[in-house]
Amino acid sequence: MTHETPRSNAAGRLTVSALVIALGMIWAAPSPAMATEDPIVAPSFDLTDPERIALGKKRFNKTCAGYCHGSDGVGGRAPDFKGRTDLPDEEAFRTIFHGRRTSDIMPPWGAAFSTDQIWELVAYIKFLGTQ
């Protein structure tokens, strides 16, 4: 049987408390998705190109629809896109690339998708806004 002294027990609680505070500060830090200084590479295609919208739809249905944004961009646990016309292209790109840590948490996809693939997702999201 080990016996902890009050001093070692207090030090352990202090360490755990410091860790919890540090993690909370990291979690509450402003999301890089909201940084307007990030240079955005312009799309290499027209965002209304039906072929690119179709590619974006395929990727959206594979990675975004099931749990978060719902089928056809509506009905998921995250914001709907159908009928939404207030989302600027660059903000959509940044959010997909960097993710978000606000009340609507979204993982970053910048390491998983190429710039063109992210713009295809933006094209599809913009298309959903017209529906």
Side-chain angles (χ1 to χ4, degrees), residues 48-96:
T48 61
D49 179 341
E51 289 180 30
R52 296 296 187 136
I53 292 170
L55 290 169
K57 178 180 181 175
K58 184 176 178 180
R59 186 166 298 103
F60 181 91
N61 287 334
K62 185 175 180 181
T63 59
C64 311
Y67 181 77
C68 296
H69 292 285
S71 178
D72 295 322
V74 66
R77 298 181 187 273
D80 294 341
F81 293 118
K82 192 173 258 188
R84 183 172 180 188
T85 59
D86 65 333
L87 186 61
D89 301 348
E90 293 81 12
E91 181 181 341
F93 183 93
R94 277 190 191 94
T95 302
I96 294 167

Side-chain angles (χ1 to χ4, degrees), residues 1-122:
M1 179 169 164
T2 61
H3 179 65
E4 290 188 42
T5 65
R7 181 181 168 115
S8 65
N9 195 12
R13 281 195 308 267
L14 183 60
T15 302
V16 171
S17 296
L19 180 62
V20 169
I21 291 169
L23 289 173
M25 290 172 66
I26 292 168
W27 188 256
S31 170
M34 299 303 142
T36 57
E37 312 83 48
D38 290 351
I40 297 292
V41 177
S44 63
F45 55 88
D46 182 350
L47 293 178
T48 61
D49 179 341
E51 289 180 30
R52 296 296 187 136
I53 292 170
L55 290 169
K57 178 180 181 175
K58 184 176 178 180
R59 186 166 298 103
F60 181 91
N61 287 334
K62 185 175 180 181
T63 59
C64 311
Y67 181 77
C68 296
H69 292 285
S71 178
D72 295 322
V74 66
R77 298 181 187 273
D80 294 341
F81 293 118
K82 192 173 258 188
R84 183 172 180 188
T85 59
D86 65 333
L87 186 61
D89 301 348
E90 293 81 12
E91 181 181 341
F93 183 93
R94 277 190 191 94
T95 302
I96 294 167
F97 188 92
H98 293 292
R100 181 186 334 225
R101 285 189 231 141
T102 61
S103 60
D104 297 321
I105 297 170
M106 179 176 155
W109 292 98
F113 298 143
S114 71
T115 299
D116 277 352
Q117 290 173 325
I118 293 174
W119 279 119
E120 288 166 353
L121 284 166
V122 173

